[in-house]
Amino acid sequence: MSQETVMIACSHGTNDAVGQQRINQLRDEIAVLRPGLRVLEAYVDVQGPELPQVVADVPADVPLVVVPLLLTVGFHVQVDIAQAVAGRSNALAAAPLGPDPRLAKLLDERLGELPKDWGIVLAAAGSSRPEAAEQIEVLAADLAVRRPQRVLAAYGASARPSVPEAVEQLRAEGAAGVAIASYLLAPGYFHDQLATAGADLVAEPLLPSRLVAELALEHFDRAISAAARGTEKIADS
C-alpha cells in the first residue's frame, strides 16, 4: 500500500460525553504523531458514522486500514470489522490494541501505590469469544509481574467471573481491600458499572495516553507490512 493509505480509527462508541471526547483526542493524537496521515472516524456500535458507511465513502482507488480502537479480539473485530473490509481488495483490518506488556505498565501506573495485602481485579469489557478471555489472562499475568498483590481477571459482560464476583472472591481469600484496574479506553457504560462492583478503589481508564496512539500507529504499519510481505510471497511463487 502507498503512503496515501487512509487510517479508519474505529471505536466501539459510547453515549458518555467524556468518553467521546477522549476517543476524539486519541484520533487527534494519532494524526499529530503521523503528519499527513488521514485519520477517519468510525464506530461499530452506539455512535455514528458507522464503519461500513465510512469504508464505502473512501474512494475505491484509495487504500485503507481499519485500526480497531479496541483492546481485545471479539465479535466487533472478528465480524463487524472483518466484514467491513472483506469486499474491498485494497482494505485491511489491523489487530486490536492489546494485549501488550506496555498496556500492563500503563494499568500499573493508573493503580498507583496500594497496600500489599490488597487484591486487584483486572476488569475488561468481556466477550463471548474464548480467545478474548485468553488475551485478558495474558495481560493479567503481565500486570501481576509488576505488582505484589494478587491479580484476578474479570469481565463486565459475556464471560466469567464478573467483576463483582472477582471482588467477592478476593475478599473471601483474605484481601484487606480490593482495587479495580480498568482495562477500558475511556469512561462509558462499562466503566460506570465498576463503581457498583464493591471494590475499595477503581482506577481511571487508559486514556488519555500517548502510548495508545503509538500502538494504533504500530498496528497500522504492521498491517501494511504484513500485506506487502503476502504480496511478495505470491509474486515469488
Side-chain angles (χ1 to χ4, degrees):
M1 289 193 177
S2 72
Q3 292 182 345
E4 297 177 350
T5 301
V6 168
M7 177 194 289
I8 299 179
C10 182
S11 178
H12 180 276
T14 178
N15 289 320
D16 186 277
V18 176
Q20 292 176 3
Q21 179 185 41
R22 291 191 184 174
I23 295 297
N24 289 333
Q25 288 173 342
L26 172 58
R27 290 194 187 89
D28 291 342
E29 189 158 19
I30 292 168
V32 168
L33 290 174
R34 184 70 56 86
L37 175 64
R38 187 179 176 202
V39 181
L40 301 180
E41 175 184 16
Y43 302 90
V44 291
D45 202 357
V46 183
Q47 287 179 255
E50 297 179 355
L51 177 60
Q53 187 60 55
V54 177
V55 171
D57 287 346
V58 176
D61 61 339
V62 176
L64 63 87
V65 178
V66 178
V67 176
L69 302 184
L70 302 166
L71 293 169
T72 59
V73 297
F75 183 88
H76 291 308
V77 171
Q78 295 175 324
V79 178
D80 291 333
I81 292 176
Q83 288 180 349
V85 302
R88 184 169 172 147
S89 61
N90 60 353
L92 301 172
L97 301 175
D100 189 292
R102 290 168 290 180
L103 290 174
K105 182 175 184 295
L106 183 55
L107 287 166
D108 179 49
E109 293 169 357
R110 290 285 187 268
L111 283 166
E113 294 292 329
L114 296 173
K116 292 183 179 181
D117 57 356
W118 278 35
I120 296 171
V121 174
L122 173 60
S127 169
S128 59
R129 307 286 168 122
E131 54 269 39
E134 291 170 4
Q135 291 188 350
I136 300 303
E137 292 293 344
V138 168
L139 189 71
D142 286 338
L143 180 59
V145 170
R146 302 172 182 276
R147 310 290 308 201
Q149 298 86 7
R150 168 150 155 69
V151 177
L152 182 61
Y155 307 92
S158 303
R160 303 288 295 274
S162 68
V163 176
E165 287 170 344
V167 170
E168 185 177 348
Q169 179 178 334
L170 288 172
R171 292 198 191 281
E173 292 175 1
V178 177
I180 295 177
S182 179
Y183 189 53
L184 301 166
L185 283 178
Y189 174 78
F190 282 120
H191 186 74
D192 290 345
Q193 292 300 108
L194 300 182
T196 68
D200 301 282
L201 179 149
V202 178
E204 289 298 308
L206 297 173
L207 292 176
S209 168
R210 179 188 174 100
L211 168 64
V212 180
E214 292 171 343
L215 285 172
L217 284 166
E218 284 182 19
H219 289 228
F220 174 80
D221 292 339
R222 195 173 299 156
I224 294 172
S225 296
R229 289 195 301 271
T231 301
E232 291 167 1
K233 289 178 182 177
I234 293 170
D236 292 341
S237 59

